[in-house]
Amino acid sequence: MSSDPAPVVSPPRADGSGETSAQVGAVELSRREHEMLGFERQWWRRAGAKETAIRDLFGTTPTRYYQALNALVERPEALAADPLLVARLRRLRTARQRTRSSQVLGKANYMD
């Protein structure tokens, strides 16, 4: 998926070796979830629109992808796997929600 020779987050090993204390007893992220985090970390390096890349790489609509991504960033396993990226994605989501809320409230007040 990535042309970067040394990804920051590598998928879990099939044999379970290399577990850290944070991973013991935790549900592991799937390969697809690791790929989603990797994509979000580096999508801007790709040529073309993000939505096109989502369709090509994940075989799903952007809407479904973002639904899965929103669920993923809420998981503690995702935060443990890539804390900076997950924190950034959470901040961006919160900012977008605030913008939408203020736009809706602004329209409601304008119509009164």
Side-chain angles (χ1 to χ4, degrees):
M1 184 196 91
S2 173
S3 61
D4 191 345
V8 176
V9 178
S10 59
R13 295 182 178 184
D15 63 358
S17 64
E19 289 184 341
T20 64
S21 59
Q23 293 172 331
V24 175
V27 176
E28 293 290 324
L29 296 177
S30 70
R31 178 172 295 280
R32 181 178 177 92
E33 290 167 333
H34 277 281
E35 289 172 354
M36 289 173 71
L37 291 176
F39 176 74
E40 285 299 316
R41 190 180 317 101
Q42 299 181 5
W43 71 266
W44 49 270
R45 292 183 184 177
R46 298 178 166 275
K50 185 176 183 181
E51 289 76 18
T52 303
I54 289 169
R55 284 188 179 95
D56 293 345
L57 294 172
F58 298 102
T60 188
T61 65
T63 300
R64 295 274 186 217
Y65 172 83
Y66 287 118
Q67 289 170 342
L69 181 64
N70 278 321
L72 176 60
V73 299
E74 288 303 314
R75 294 183 48 201
E77 298 85 10
L79 186 60
D82 196 336
L84 293 176
L85 174 67
V86 171
R88 181 175 62 84
L89 293 172
R90 288 177 178 179
R91 279 193 314 272
L92 289 171
R93 181 181 59 189
T94 300
R96 283 191 300 268
Q97 288 170 341
R98 284 188 188 138
T99 300
R100 282 193 301 268
S101 294
S102 66
Q103 288 173 348
V104 169
L105 290 175
K107 288 179 183 177
N109 290 337
Y110 178 74
M111 295 175 141
D112 288 340

